[in-house]
């Protein structure tokens, strides 16, 4: 794993965004995996700024998102569908038909899982953006998830629901389940960039980089990938 440590979030976001911009410019038909949550918001702001100022073109870019809450409709303000349009897709020229976000509100979730997984198999991802949970989850692959697991529906950890309660009126409103790419799908990506900031992430970062590869810490599976760049601030990297 390549580790890059930054003094501030702006600089970190700019450098992480440059990895995406480089990819898009080198191969304008790239397939990119996106994440939601607080960590990549600065990166998305940089992509929007670059698109407006330099015209970086996303018309032939295909996207796949990591996960979506179950049982939330697209139109719900807390859906990851809504998050992606608000924070990125509405502000760049990516085509709706090239955007893939798993549905957390399908009548038949087994079929949705199967369909999304098939799409991932048919479209190899050039680059995947990741955050990390304070419990070491990547996507919504919670501790205990097998490292060869593909797309699935998972029950969210209490820790994850508490961490994400900040986006909802109360913890009772935080969904209990989600649909997520599996760790296997993530490991199949050609390149991974993971963003982590703040001391709440420091233990998980330490385990991911220096600990054993274990199902107890899903992010430790990334040790088995040969093209991972970590974008960390001082606090997230304090135990390295
Ligand atoms: C989001 C996702 C999650 C988040 C993680 C960190 O699509 O899959 O793994 O990346 O929960 O969230 P933040 O960035 O809000 O701390």
């Amino acid at each position: 794993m390549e580790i890059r440590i930054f003094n501030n979030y702006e600089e970190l976001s700019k450098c992480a965004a440059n990895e995406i911009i480089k990819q898009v410019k080198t191969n304008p038909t790239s397939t990119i995996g996106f994440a939601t949550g607080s960590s990549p918001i600065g990166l998305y702001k940089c992509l929007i700024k670059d698109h407006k100022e330099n015209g970086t073109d996303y018309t032939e870019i295909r996207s796949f998102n990591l996960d979506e809450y179950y049982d939330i409709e697209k139109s719900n303000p807390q859906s990851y569908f809504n998050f992606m349009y608000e924070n990125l897709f509405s502000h760049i020229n990516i085509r709706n038909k090239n955007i893939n976000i798993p549905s957390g509100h399908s009548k038949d979730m087994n079929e949705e899982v199967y369909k999304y997984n098939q799409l991932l198999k048919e479209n190899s991802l050039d680059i995947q953006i990741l955050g990390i949970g304070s419990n070491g989850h990547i996507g919504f692959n919670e501790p205990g998830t097998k490292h060869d697991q593909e797309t699935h529906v998972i029950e969210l950890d209490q820790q994850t629901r508490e961490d994400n309660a900040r986006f909802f009126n109360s913890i009772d409103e935080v969904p209990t389940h989600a649909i997520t790419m599996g760790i296997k799908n993530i490991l199949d990506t050609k390149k991974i960039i993971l963003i982590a900031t703040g001391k709440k992430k420091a233990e998980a970062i330490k385990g991911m980089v220096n600990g054993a590869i274990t199902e107890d810490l899903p992010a430790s599976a990334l040790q088995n990938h040969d093209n991972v760049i970590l974008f960390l601030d001082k606090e997230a990297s304090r135990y390295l």
Side-chain angles (χ1 to χ4, degrees):
M1 286 182 194
E2 183 183 329
I3 301 173
R4 300 189 193 165
I5 299 170
F6 297 84
N7 286 323
N8 67 69
Y9 182 63
E10 284 67 34
E11 196 53 30
L12 179 160
S13 300
K14 208 168 145 192
C15 287
N18 281 342
E19 293 295 322
I20 305 297
I21 294 165
K22 201 167 63 185
Q23 176 68 43
V24 171
K25 287 193 163 151
T26 310
N27 176 8
T29 63
S30 295
T31 304
I32 298 176
F34 288 101
T36 59
S38 308
S39 305
I41 285 182
L43 183 165
Y44 296 156
K45 285 203 170 104
C46 292
L47 294 187
I48 295 167
K49 186 167 183 282
D50 165 74
H51 171 68
K52 296 217 151 72
E53 288 175 0
N54 306 316
T56 301
D57 184 18
Y58 293 84
T59 48
E60 299 304 328
I61 295 295
R62 291 173 67 85
S63 79
F64 283 86
N65 260 76
L66 279 170
D67 42 23
E68 177 59 283
Y69 285 126
Y70 174 83
D71 175 32
I72 270 194
E73 294 193 46
K74 284 180 183 177
S75 56
N76 186 309
Q78 298 306 338
S79 76
Y80 284 173
F81 181 94
N82 189 58
F83 175 101
M84 286 310 301
Y85 274 84
E86 211 167 82
N87 289 290
L88 182 64
F89 294 153
S90 297
H91 310 285
I92 58 174
N93 65 342
I94 190 166
R95 292 182 173 149
N96 284 333
K97 70 176 177 68
N98 290 341
I99 294 171
N100 298 280
I101 303 174
S103 167
H105 195 67
S106 282
K107 276 204 198 96
D108 186 342
M109 284 306 288
N110 287 335
E111 195 193 325
E112 177 64 20
V113 163
Y114 176 79
K115 270 182 9 203
Y116 202 67
N117 204 53
Q118 281 304 112
L119 275 176
L120 288 168
K121 285 184 175 175
E122 288 158 17
N123 295 274
S124 68
L125 270 60
D126 294 296
I127 192 159
Q128 173 68 55
I129 300 162
L130 291 180
I132 183 171
S134 60
N135 64 356
H137 73 213
I138 46 175
F140 273 136
N141 293 282
E142 301 285 28
T145 308
K146 296 213 175 316
H147 292 181
D148 61 358
Q149 176 78 58
E150 298 186 327
T151 310
H152 60 291
V153 171
I154 189 158
E155 181 173 3
L156 298 177
D157 260 21
Q158 184 58 17
Q159 180 67 57
T160 299
R161 295 186 66 236
E162 281 168 19
D163 288 347
N164 289 4
R166 67 190 193 279
F167 299 114
F168 295 81
N169 292 324
S170 78
I171 186 149
D172 300 331
E173 286 183 16
V174 184
T176 55
H177 290 73
I179 176 171
T180 182
M181 276 188 204
I183 295 176
K184 165 117 182 18
N185 304 113
I186 293 172
L187 292 178
D188 283 344
T189 308
K190 291 186 193 124
K191 179 173 185 169
I192 292 171
I193 68 175
L194 184 146
I195 299 171
T197 61
K199 58 177 186 286
K200 265 188 94 176
K201 305 289 174 72
E203 277 293 342
I205 293 295
K206 177 177 136 199
M208 171 179 71
V209 174
N210 294 324
I213 300 177
T214 163
E215 286 171 12
D216 295 340
L217 193 82
S220 66
L222 299 180
Q223 290 179 31
N224 284 326
H225 195 288
D226 61 7
N227 195 1
V228 179
I229 311 178
L230 307 183
F231 291 83
L232 310 175
D233 69 357
K234 291 245 158 70
E235 290 189 318
S237 62
R238 67 202 289 190
Y239 301 137
L240 294 182

